[in-house]
DNA sequence: CTACTTGCAAAATATTTGCGTTATT
DNA sequence: AATAACGCAAATATTTTGCAAGTAG
């Protein structure tokens, strides 16, 4: 039976209270503020447990280490190539896509994820200013 | 100016001749058959150069190390959760999606990638046999 | 009490880098 | 020749793991 430890709670809380999709190391840094003796091993082990119990998910985004987020409704991600931020999109999720591809391929499709990439508004502004 | 070395050529050739989306290490292993003295540093350095010159692309797929593929027409990927293979899909690419999301978010969208996940046909068969 | 978790440290992986040498242009 | 690229080995991440001690249930 899984136990509820303050380390595990703290890690989950950090993820529920941010929208930045932090890496394992930055989760470790944040939790250390609250639990100074926590070890990285504990962070990695708990990230794994939380994934296995479907409370968080891992994001493998272009050009960065794995990031994590607390599980929410399905949504897509956008990554800014300049500032490297990862932003949750409101864009509606294409519910039929899985069935569509499943029918055409004969595979059993359980999920799909989309990563958009480009420039966020902040970076577009900064960049365009530099042109003049 | 970039030079054309046999190491770089061999790495690119390996990627052009496979559909398996190999990892850096398995590329290293394959190229070693042809160039026994090649080093891993050379493989990593060349994978970077080939990406920067847009000849190959890196795939960050759920539950595995980075994989690589020679650049082709845009396409989506499917990952089997049982055998962990990554398969290129014929599925048509949604060309309007970038503009659509760009309009709604105000971001400049340069690309999008989709990863589907589930069970491939082979694994569905194996798995269903085990039920009886 | 039991056994899941932790902290710590060491080990295992993965990737990058410094440097003297090789080889492409 | 000039210098990009290489091989090798050492240096850096990054992640996993063994183990004795701590603690939730």
């Amino acid at each position: 039976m899984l136990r509820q430890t303050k380390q595990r709670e703290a890690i989950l809380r950090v993820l529920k209270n941010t929208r930045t999709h932090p890496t394992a190391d930055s989760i470790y840094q944040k939790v250390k503020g609250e639990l100074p003796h926590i070890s990285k091993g504990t962070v990695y082990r708990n990230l794994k447990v939380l994934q296995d119990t479907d409370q968080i998910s891992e994001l493998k985004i272009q050009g960065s280490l794995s990031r994590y987020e607390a599980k929410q409704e399905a949504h897509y991600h956008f990554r800014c190539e300049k500032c490297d931020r990862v932003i949750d999109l409101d864009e509606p999720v294409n519910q039929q896509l899985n069935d569509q591809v499943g029918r055409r391929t004969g595979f059993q499709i359980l999920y799909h994820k989309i990563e958009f990439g480009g420039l966020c508004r902040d970076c577009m502004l900064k960049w365009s200013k530099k042109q003049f």
Side-chain angles (χ1 to χ4, degrees), chain A residues 35-109:
Chain A
L35 302 171
H37 294 295
I38 195 173
S39 74
K40 260 191 179 170
T42 297
V43 171
Y44 279 106
R45 275 184 291 228
N46 275 310
L47 287 174
K48 191 150 300 174
V49 171
L50 291 169
Q51 284 181 75
D52 291 344
T53 54
D54 232 54
Q55 302 179 75
I56 67 174
S57 48
E58 186 186 8
L59 299 181
K60 311 206 80 163
I61 300 280
Q62 207 60 16
S64 86
L65 292 179
S66 283
R67 292 153 174 268
Y68 298 87
E69 68 179 3
K71 207 70 158 222
Q72 345 166 19
E73 329 72 73
H75 61 278
Y76 300 141
H77 294 100
F78 168 84
R79 162 183 171 254
C80 176
E81 296 194 329
K82 279 282 179 206
C83 65
D84 214 54
R85 276 187 303 169
V86 174
I87 298 170
D88 292 333
L89 295 180
D90 288 328
E91 210 61 19
V93 167
N94 187 337
Q95 307 286 3
Q96 311 115 72
L97 201 49
N98 290 356
D99 289 345
Q100 210 171 95
V101 173
R103 235 175 293 120
R104 287 199 247 212
T105 60
F107 301 158
Q108 180 180 5
I109 308 288

Side-chain angles (χ1 to χ4, degrees), chain A residues 107-118:
Chain A
F107 301 158
Q108 180 180 5
I109 308 288
L110 299 173
Y111 69 83
H112 76 267
K113 36 179 65 184
I114 308 188
E115 172 190 329
F116 292 89

